[in-house]
Amino acid sequence: MRLDRILSNLPRFNRQEVRQLIASGRVKVDGHCSRDPRLDVSLFNRVELDDQLVQAGKTARYFMLNKPIGVVSATEHPAHQTVIDLLNEPDKHELHLAGRLDLNTSGLLLITNDGQWSRRVTQPVSKQAKVYWVSTEQPIEAHYAETFAAGIYFKFEDLTTLPARLEILAPYNARLWLYEGRYHQVKRMFGHFQNKVIGLHREHVGAITLDPQLAPGEYRALTRAEIASV
Ligand code: URA
């Protein structure tokens, strides 16, 4: 939200007064005087007027979890344990998932309270590759790679998937790079060839790699470099 909007929400000042307060240098954002009424201020910024606190500024939190099979990618669920249940963190209800994995998919799941960051992770424009290790029921044929690179038409959404890269590792195993996250996307892409996915594990999201030290169900805070990579 713009800085002038945040201050206008205080009952004591009208818009004209807010403009003057900002112009006269009485407002600080994260400890620095700001004279720009249009400055984009998030929930994570501290805002002060003279030396009075207007907004404390929340701490942005970022985690990676090694999601186990059988745990649901949701914040609440009536029947299944959720990935949020696996976290031992205060104020867990403030956290959300930066992308989801199916119940029977394992691997890298990103969790945060920073909505702008999670949008960057999930929006195809930011071109963050999601890399999956895939195991199938039938042999994976070489020509799948061309079809995946060209895109597959999904009738339900009336769209063609973005170019994806397939590397065949063994007759029944492959690694797949996707740049978007459609509903059951990997299973539907292999389903195009009537080849059922029987194992799916996410290894990377952009430059963030699932930490091999994390056993299924374990998590850790992201490093500064990992957060900045998105
Ligand atoms: N594609 C799928 O089909 N399932 C997932 O969990 C992720 C991608």
Side-chain angles (χ1 to χ4, degrees):
M1 197 188 286
R2 281 170 50 147
L3 180 58
D4 54 357
R5 278 283 199 93
I6 289 183
L7 292 159
S8 304
N9 286 343
L10 299 176
R12 335 178 228 160
F13 304 115
N14 62 33
R15 283 202 182 168
Q16 174 69 17
E17 288 165 331
V18 164
R19 262 199 294 275
Q20 283 165 358
L21 288 174
I22 297 173
S24 61
R26 290 173 59 191
V27 179
K28 280 192 210 153
V29 176
D30 295 339
H32 303 288
C33 165
S34 174
R35 293 177 198 265
D36 178 4
R38 293 164 184 242
L39 185 75
D40 190 23
V41 175
S42 81
L43 285 176
F44 305 115
N45 296 120
R46 181 182 175 89
V47 181
E48 291 158 286
L49 168 61
D50 298 328
D51 283 319
Q52 274 177 34
L53 192 60
V54 174
Q55 172 178 291
K58 285 183 183 293
T59 305
R61 296 185 289 164
Y62 309 86
F63 303 99
M64 72 161 73
L65 169 79
N66 185 355
K67 178 194 166 307
I69 290 169
V71 175
V72 73
S73 287
T75 49
E76 286 177 21
H77 195 276
H80 288 285
Q81 188 180 37
T82 73
V83 289
I84 298 292
D85 293 333
L86 298 174
L87 307 181
N88 182 16
E89 295 294 323
D91 301 319
K92 292 200 290 190
H93 63 277
E94 293 180 357
L95 299 170
H96 63 269
L97 313 181
R100 288 165 193 273
L101 294 173
D102 294 339
L103 190 64
N104 54 3
T105 301
S106 57
L108 177 60
L109 195 73
L110 299 173
I111 303 171
T112 182
N113 61 348
D114 183 345
Q116 283 189 357
W117 188 84
S118 58
R119 273 191 291 283
R120 287 204 297 279
V121 171
T122 52
Q123 281 174 356
V125 280
S126 53
K127 299 217 162 59
Q128 299 287 324
K130 281 89 188 169
V131 185
Y132 295 88
W133 178 90
V134 188
S135 166
T136 57
E137 207 167 63
Q138 309 297 327
I140 301 166
E141 295 172 21
H143 66 91
Y144 289 18
E146 279 162 47
T147 308
F148 288 177
I152 291 184
Y153 180 66
F154 281 177
K155 192 165 180 223
F156 183 74
E157 295 95 333
D158 185 25
L159 58 80
T160 301
T161 55
L162 292 174
R165 180 176 153 217
L166 182 74
E167 182 189 3
I168 300 174
L169 304 170
Y172 297 86
N173 292 139
R175 185 164 282 123
L176 181 65
W177 283 252
L178 295 185
Y179 296 88
E180 60 192 331
R182 306 280 168 204
Y183 179 68
H184 291 335
Q185 181 160 351
V186 177
K187 292 172 187 156
R188 291 162 78 195
M189 287 171 70
F190 281 87
H192 177 82
F193 300 104
Q194 284 80 49
N195 194 350
K196 189 171 175 202
V197 171
I198 55 171
L200 189 56
H201 178 80
R202 186 154 68 189
E203 300 174 324
H204 309 274
V205 172
I208 304 175
T209 297
L210 180 62
D211 189 330
Q213 310 260 26
L214 295 176
E218 290 184 345
Y219 72 98
R220 68 158 170 81
L222 294 188
T223 64
R224 278 172 184 237
E226 286 165 338
I227 297 163
S229 74
V230 172

